[in-house]
Amino acid sequence: MKQRIFLLLFAAFQLAASTARADEGMWLLHMLQRINEAEMQQMGLNLSAEDIYSLNQACLKDAVITLNGGSCTAEIISDQGLVLTNHHCAYGAIQGFSTVEDDILTNGFWAMSLEEEKPIPDFSVTFLQRIEDVTERVLADVTSDMDQATREQTIQGVISQIEEEERGINPDFRPQIKSFYHGNEFYLFVYRDYSDIRLVGNPPESIGKFGGDTDNWMWPRHTGDFSMLRIYADAEGNPADYSEDNTPYQPKRHLKVSLDGVQNGDFTMIMGYPGSTDRFLSSYGVQQALDIYNPSVVEVRDLKLKTMKSHMDTDPGVRIQYAAKYAQTANYWKYYIGQSKGLRALDVYGKKKALEDEFAAWVTASVERRNEYGEAIGLLKTYYENTDATVKGQVYSLEAGLIGCDLMLFAFRVGMGAQGLFSEDADRAAAAAASLRGRAEGFFKDYDQDTDRDLFINLMSKYMEDIAPDQQPAFFATVRDKYKGDFKRYADKMYPKSFLTDPVRFEEFVSNPDEKALEKDLGIAAAMSLIETYRGYFASPEQGKFDEGYRLLTAGLRAMNTEKMWYPDANSTMRLSYGTVGDYDPADAVHYDFVTTSDGILQKKDNTDPEFVVDGTLESLLRKRDFGRYADEDGDLVLCFISNNDITGGNSGSPVLNGNGDLIGLAFDGNWEAMSGDIAFEPELQRTISVDIRYVMWIVDKMAGAQNLIDEIDFVTAPKDPMQNLPKDMARPIEDGRR
Ligand code: ARG
């Protein structure tokens, strides 16, 4: 009886695996030829895998870059190093250039010449040179009976050695080895970083963030989520710190812009840097996320957002200072609400459980399997049981503690960086001072003491209230003993006295560093106590069970189903996802089209709601309907479209390419009905939301009037299909003809 059920489940799993093939998966570029090329070509790719990733010639990967070590993706769209990414990816930079008097966040900004481009402080982009599978060498001395700690030490030793060798071969490149499939495979990535990056243009926030947090993570969308940057290099085209003498970087490869637009069912591929997914998460992990982790993050962030908002609403200066921090906090606040909702609605727990039952039966069936994978499920079960009591404390140590108010993170960084000030080595001490001054500049620019103080008091008080005393940071005892358990009293001492809260006191400290003063500072003391608490959670022996459990489960699942094309979880390395443009049905009796048009902006317009303001210039241009070559075949301006590509955070700004490898859009979001997608991909529901390149170019051309930029771009249009001139219902089969 039991056996049968397992067989049925197995069949269902196989079926899901094969129908999900086309869209699910974040594929590694050096494996495309072996795993995906044939299927991609059959789906509509007119290129070879070698055109996408090659060691011998310029290829598509050379036009795709990551921002600031993985926060977002971007692409090169001219031979002069012009870069396109999302508005929300350059949001911090745009906000950083904004003041109440010259508010480019609200009004937008366009450089009409190279001279007007704004150098962005502390910003970098990274090019991928090559990928190499180093699994064999990394695991050469690892045996299956090694304990987890010895295993990790052994692996780390080889990784450091290979990276060292790579640096020896080419000091201009930055090697990095990462683990894939939960510690089962290892690949080397060789990178090159550029740091003179300038802001070229951004639409007003009312376009770039239209719909705000209300529309965030949702379709239908009407957001022009894009901005433009430029990479500068020295005279030889090499990376260089900012200098007036630097010139626009001439890339190996840039993307062409297609004005052909999208049809339902069109092939699309997306290249970029997805940050992290949890597709191998166990049922126990799903349960812990639902019961503890997600609600804890949401609860703390809720308070954080309310506290920030009360200050932003009353002070226009604070509104600008905290705009990026607010958006960042709100983004994953809403994410975790949606993820829990999705996990429940789609019964992800049940699906994981069924898979684990099947796995357990498969393991039990043979001695070798029992020896190899027998411990996987038990380790994970124990890990989650043993950590249920500490997860909330762990979340609070980070969300309410270290990244709660800005002062704590700043204090932690200063506390670490200040060690260099006391160095015997004068060069090292000078470098430490320079770096601290740089940090302080960034911090004070967007720091409002009243807001920060409120954040500190509200979040720490909640921390003390919600988390058991034996898990509280050590400095809470001081607050109890010396400040009557009242964080207001602690704040009253800390904010007026700490050298961290005032630029003059900060400069005094850096020019006359004093170890006593550092130790005694109440801000430093609190931050050091918080980091100790936070690190304690990860130093626990439970972590080894987690690492080993997932390594064995992942290896076992792959061995159990060798027919399935397995792809590794996202880890901020470059991936390609392919699929098709496609509409969907989000709920009973509801159908969502695959594109939105400019009409939707006018429908959503509400100038009394900051999230739905429509800029006057935009509105009159939209009403004139002068869409020129950017219009679709019905004369409409398409704003956004959806496709079933598999992406996640970090992919923001990624190029969406057609079968010819030309740019048709920029990915910028996922959809509400599949917010659990990072844990389990949902073939029927999961969609990538992209801004249509024609909307982007229309704004640059018609609204910004930046002809200088339009002239840099290579536009392509495919020869028109003669069928397109037929009446629409005759030209396309019914199932494609929804629009
Ligand atoms: N959900 C988008 C992402 O994670 C970010 C959108 C930013 N917009 C906002 N309203 N917070 O890439």
Side-chain angles (χ1 to χ4, degrees), residues 71-72 86-89 91 208-218 221 223 225 326-332 335 611 648-653 667-670 675:
S71 67
C72 275
N86 287 150
H87 179 266
H88 79 264
C89 294
Y91 198 77
K209 203 184 169 199
F210 183 74
D213 294 320
T214 303
D215 275 7
N216 190 19
W217 299 113
M218 286 177 166
R221 200 64 159 274
T223 312
D225 198 343
Y326 188 91
Q328 203 182 357
T329 307
N331 192 29
Y332 274 79
Y335 171 94
E611 294 190 319
T648 188
N651 266 119
S652 284
F668 72 94
D669 214 349
M675 290 296 285

Side-chain angles (χ1 to χ4, degrees), residues 26 70 178 272-277 569-573 647-651:
M26 301 175 175
K178 281 198 169 164
Y273 282 82
S276 97
T277 52
D569 267 317
N571 61 356
S572 294
T573 54
I647 68 157
T648 188
N651 266 119

